[in-house]
Amino acid sequence: MTERKKGPAKLADQRAAGVLLHPTSLPGPYGIGDLGSMAQAYIDWLARAGMTYWQVLPLNPPGAGNSPYSASSAFASNPLMISPERLVEDGLLTADVLPAIAMPSGPYVDWHAAVTLKHRLLQRAWEEFRDTRRPALVSAFDEFRQREQHWLDDWTLFAAMRDAHPGLVWTHWPAAFAHREPSALRGFREAHEGPVAFHAFQQFLFDRQWSALRRYAQGCGVKLFGDIPIYVTFDSADVWSHRELFQLDDHLQPREIAGVPPDYFNEEGQLWGNPLFDWARCQADGYGWWVSRVRRALSQCDLLRLDHFRGFVAYWSVPFHSDTAKTGQWVPGPGRPLFDALTAALGPLPLVAEDLGDITADVNALRDGLGLPGMAILQFAFAPEPRSEFVPYAHRQNQVVYTGTHDNNTICGWWDDEASDEVRRYLVQYLGHEPREIHTEIVRMAYASRAFLAVIPHQDLVGLGTSARMNTPGEEAGHWSFRLHPDMASDALAHWLAEQAWIYGREPG
């Protein structure tokens, strides 16, 4: 394996700016954003806008509600993002196919249409690949399967079994499959060799296209900023194949599940439902699964946001059959030993700690002891009492400032629909004037921050309202669907952003 270049020891040494936009939100004629020409055009626009980072959400196959945070694998990638244009370039589709399947690019992802269309196209590409046996592609596919075997074999078997048992969680498969009896797995793999290979082929195509896009971004001076959720979904290849690393009972059900306690925003807390890690077993294994997971993510991105960082210090553990998160309790997490194992295996870690929520002194101590940047959210900055640590004068250099995240309303939606009178008054006092365009004011505030990196959701760059928000925590449907219109990445906006980058010292170095 090629040795990975050492990550930036001091991310905060250079000021920079970036945009948060998931690739599924790109425009295009195939129902969902993909890794083709529109992604390259977006990278070109980012470079013209003086951006150093393109932040994305998890790249994994989305689960319930189309959420990338409910993925069916922590290692596999989302085949819906595979570009039909690039399949034509590889000779796996003919050019006349594309005009026939094109559809209008609306303001939201058409998940049903995208799933139907992409499955049909990928099946056709697979048949072409299988029948024509192009030597260069076959060699690249074989090399990919060998290189990624440590996770790919489990994922492809899980995905093929799920196809064979539609609508069933893996615990409801035949017992021999659920309990991973070796002879049963071997027999299924042999009997379903084609479907298993087809799932491997989809991962190969994503890897091929993503790697090409990353090389293109590097040539433009743009770095890719990814995301690692702390937890995985119960109905996933990860829990099915590594059940010993999770808190499961003798019936393969979670003993405890993840969530967060009641707080100012939700008196019931949040019951996420993910199975919890058995951290003692993870440590006994040398944190090998986590090393593999982070290594995989770093093979795709230059910088990673580590979701729910406070859970590595202590996590909220809720009994499995609880109706709310109120019945949970704090349990110690893995702490420093996990990160020492990651550093020993991978070198300096280019991570950003998502240190939001109920943050205690020991969480800050771990973050600072590791030298990791934290986060500041400007939507949470202007409560006058008690004074927020996110107010701009309190920002630290080793920090990433956001106007909002994928879980927030847009700035305009927040200002119009959510901000209290007290918050609005304090923000006006802080600015020294009534804002004409609240999103412009907050973007400039982020750029002016002491924080080394300012990341703006694209919706906030163009002043979109509540209907353009990406997600509302606690709501299961109707999210993760925002799409960019080409007019939202204009030359005029790029010029203005490049000017802000120069004014506030965030131009690419």
Side-chain angles (χ1 to χ4, degrees):
M1 180 179 293
T2 302
E3 183 179 354
R4 185 175 63 83
K5 292 181 179 179
K6 287 190 178 291
K10 294 182 179 179
L11 284 169
D13 283 350
Q14 181 175 346
R15 288 170 63 79
V19 172
L20 172 58
L21 184 83
H22 201 45
T24 58
S25 295
L26 292 168
Y30 308 114
I32 191 169
D34 61 43
L35 308 181
S37 60
M38 290 294 185
Q40 281 197 355
Y42 191 65
I43 289 170
D44 291 338
W45 182 84
L46 291 173
R48 294 198 302 275
M51 298 293 180
T52 301
Y53 289 94
W54 177 8
Q55 183 171 352
V56 300
L57 305 180
L59 299 172
N60 314 106
N66 302 311
S67 170
Y69 293 91
S70 299
S72 49
S73 171
F75 291 80
S77 302
N78 182 2
L80 295 179
M81 288 193 259
I82 293 172
S83 163
E85 297 169 329
R86 299 296 180 248
L87 296 181
V88 171
E89 292 173 4
D90 277 336
L92 297 171
L93 295 177
T94 56
D96 61 307
V97 169
L98 301 189
I101 63 172
M103 62 182 76
S105 181
Y108 301 104
V109 173
D110 188 336
W111 286 101
H112 177 73
V115 168
T116 302
L117 173 64
K118 289 295 180 73
H119 180 77
R120 188 170 76 246
L121 291 180
L122 291 169
Q123 187 68 48
R124 185 182 300 187
W126 168 240
E127 292 167 0
E128 176 69 19
F129 172 83
R130 187 185 56 199
D131 294 342
T132 58
R133 306 292 294 174
R134 289 173 172 81
L137 271 182
V138 169
S139 177
F141 180 45
D142 290 344
E143 190 276 331
F144 171 78
R145 295 187 78 172
Q146 179 64 33
R147 185 180 75 240
E148 305 297 336
Q149 182 179 15
H150 64 99
W151 65 267
L152 188 64
D153 282 359
D154 283 326
W155 162 249
T156 54
L157 192 58
F158 176 86
M161 284 186 169
R162 189 173 56 173
D163 291 345
H165 304 93
L168 296 181
V169 176
W170 63 267
T171 49
H172 291 91
W173 295 348
F177 297 156
H179 289 275
R180 292 179 57 86
E181 294 180 8
S183 60
L185 299 190
R186 187 165 53 251
F188 184 93
R189 188 181 294 277
E190 291 171 356
H192 297 79
E193 181 181 0
V196 168
F198 175 52
H199 282 288
F201 180 66
Q202 294 177 68
Q203 293 303 308
F204 163 69
L205 292 177
F206 183 98
D207 186 79
R208 181 176 176 83
Q209 294 189 6
W210 182 264
S211 296
L213 188 67
R214 188 180 183 190
R215 289 192 298 271
Y216 187 83
Q218 289 171 338
C220 296
V222 174
K223 299 177 181 179
L224 301 181
F225 184 176
D227 194 310
I228 297 184
I230 182 174
Y231 295 122
V232 300
T233 303
F234 177 72
D235 191 20
S236 66
D238 311 288
V239 180
W240 176 68
S241 60
H242 293 283
R243 63 200 64 191
E244 73 281 359
L245 301 180
F246 298 90
Q247 297 183 33
L248 305 184
D249 63 22
D250 293 339
H251 302 288
L252 302 179
Q253 293 299 315
R255 294 196 303 271
E256 305 274 321
I257 52 178
V260 289
D263 57 21
Y264 176 81
F265 299 101
N266 192 329
E267 63 182 17
E268 297 294 320
Q270 294 182 39
L271 195 61
W272 294 340
N274 307 79
L276 295 168
F277 288 97
D278 184 332
W279 287 113
R281 291 293 297 272
C282 292
Q283 184 175 32
D285 185 46
Y287 297 106
W289 184 88
W290 271 94
V291 169
S292 294
R293 185 186 191 190
V294 175
R295 178 184 286 118
R296 168 72 174 157
L298 288 173
S299 75
Q300 295 180 315
C301 295
D302 304 289
L303 181 64
L304 297 170
R305 188 191 84 126
L306 196 55
D307 181 53
H308 196 54
F309 180 77
R310 77 103 51 246
F312 295 104
V313 175
Y315 57 90
W316 192 247
S317 178
V318 184
F320 178 50
H321 294 293
S322 296
D323 294 325
T324 77
K326 285 183 175 181
T327 58
Q329 61 179 336
W330 290 112
V331 177
R336 182 72 186 239
L338 167 63
F339 294 93
D340 288 343
L342 291 171
T343 301
L346 304 173
L349 300 172
L351 301 176
V352 171
E354 187 269 282
D355 54 347
L356 308 177
D358 185 7
I359 303 304
T360 51
D362 50 355
V363 178
N364 291 334
L366 178 62
R367 180 200 64 207
D368 294 344
L370 295 168
L372 301 182
M375 292 172 54
I377 311 299
L378 290 178
Q379 278 191 38
F380 299 153
F382 294 100
E385 295 296 337
R387 190 65 55 89
S388 169
E389 63 180 4
F390 296 152
V391 69
Y393 69 70
H395 290 179
R396 306 182 307 275
Q397 182 183 5
N398 196 26
Q399 198 167 37
V400 182
V401 59
Y402 293 81
T403 54
T405 73
H406 61 277
D407 280 336
N408 289 104
N409 203 340
T410 65
I411 282 294
C412 289
W414 165 75
W415 186 249
D416 292 340
D417 304 330
E418 297 178 7
S420 68
D421 290 342
E422 292 78 11
V423 165
R424 294 165 73 92
R425 250 191 319 271
Y426 181 39
L427 180 51
V428 169
Q429 290 175 318
Y430 200 95
L431 290 171
H433 59 269
E434 287 282 348
R436 288 197 306 166
E437 292 184 329
I438 187 62
H439 67 286
T440 300
E441 299 278 8
I442 301 298
V443 169
R444 287 174 62 93
M445 191 179 292
Y447 269 65
S449 166
R450 187 182 178 214
F452 84 95
L453 176 57
V455 176
I456 317 296
H458 201 112
Q459 296 95 312
D460 288 345
L461 293 178
V462 289
L464 300 181
T466 298
S467 63
R469 72 181 295 167
M470 195 62 166
N471 182 50
T472 303
E475 294 186 7
E476 295 183 0
H479 298 291
W480 313 106
S481 295
F482 168 73
R483 290 191 83 186
L484 207 64
H485 188 277
D487 291 347
M488 298 176 190
S490 66
D491 288 339
L493 179 58
H495 176 78
W496 184 79
L497 289 168
E499 185 177 55
Q500 304 314 302
W502 178 83
I503 292 171
Y504 295 109
R506 296 190 182 275
E507 65 271 36

